[in-house]
Amino acid sequence: MSREQQDALSRTALGVFRLNGQFLAVSEKLAEPAGLTAAWWQVLGAVLQEPLPVAGIARVMGITRQSVQRIADLLVREGLAAYEPNPAHRRAKLLTPTEAGRAAIARIEPGHAHLAALLMRELGGQEAFDETVRVLDRLSAALEAAGTRYAAPEAAEPEGRQPGGQ
């Protein structure tokens, strides 16, 4: 890998980390009036169209199953979601939003729509916004493909140490 490629990877990673922080901050602001956190909103949003098992939500969101399980249990405890039987797997129940969960998500919609309009203007229109989404999708797919083929190079032994710790 050339230094130029390494620098591009570093700049990309730092940009994505910054975007993640920005999205989390604005998501917290959007979700707060609905009595949700950004994480609760994410998990509820993942099951609005169809119920999913916790592992399926984790795959869609790109986070650990344990993180989703913790949030799902909180949503169920708060009456915002419910577990229902999964015909495909006896033990992996499906998470589905309750009416209260759907109502909470609906309270976010006006702020969500306003932010989407602001971002579209800042990006220069709908076409530019759509292109941004395509580029991010391509980056995600490329990283997933590269990650499946990536094998870490052997770490060099520190000076003065023999392999095997001697």
Side-chain angles (χ1 to χ4, degrees):
M1 178 187 289
S2 73
R3 183 80 238 162
E4 186 178 0
Q5 290 169 325
Q6 286 180 274
D7 289 345
L9 175 59
S10 294
R11 287 191 318 274
T12 301
L14 290 172
V16 169
F17 295 153
R18 182 173 180 214
L19 271 172
N20 183 57
Q22 291 170 314
F23 270 113
L24 287 174
V26 76
S27 294
E28 289 293 343
K29 287 180 188 173
L30 286 169
E32 186 177 17
L36 301 176
T37 67
W40 290 20
W41 179 21
Q42 283 180 297
V43 172
L44 276 174
V47 296
L48 282 178
Q49 300 302 313
E50 67 175 327
L52 291 172
V54 166
I57 298 166
R59 265 191 305 280
V60 168
M61 293 176 60
I63 60 176
T64 67
R65 187 197 59 74
Q66 292 85 351
S67 296
V68 174
Q69 186 69 63
R70 184 182 56 79
I71 294 165
D73 290 343
L74 287 169
L75 290 170
V76 169
R77 190 173 331 140
E78 294 294 321
L80 299 168
Y83 289 116
E84 61 183 41
N86 182 349
H89 193 284
R90 199 174 64 197
R91 291 190 311 156
K93 297 201 181 312
L94 298 173
L95 185 72
T96 188
T98 62
E99 286 306 312
R102 288 185 184 283
I105 295 294
R107 287 192 296 276
I108 295 171
E109 284 300 312
H112 189 261
H114 181 67
L115 179 60
L118 289 172
L119 279 174
M120 184 194 64
R121 270 190 299 234
E122 288 296 322
L123 287 168
Q126 189 64 51
E127 189 175 315
F129 206 161
D130 292 343
E131 179 60 19
T132 300
V133 173
R134 283 191 293 275
V135 168
L136 289 171
D137 285 345
R138 280 183 42 221
L139 177 59
S140 179
L143 188 55
E144 187 170 333
T148 61
R149 294 190 302 269
Y150 177 76
E154 292 295 321
E157 289 292 326
E159 281 189 46
R161 285 197 52 198
Q162 299 290 323
Q166 304 200 359

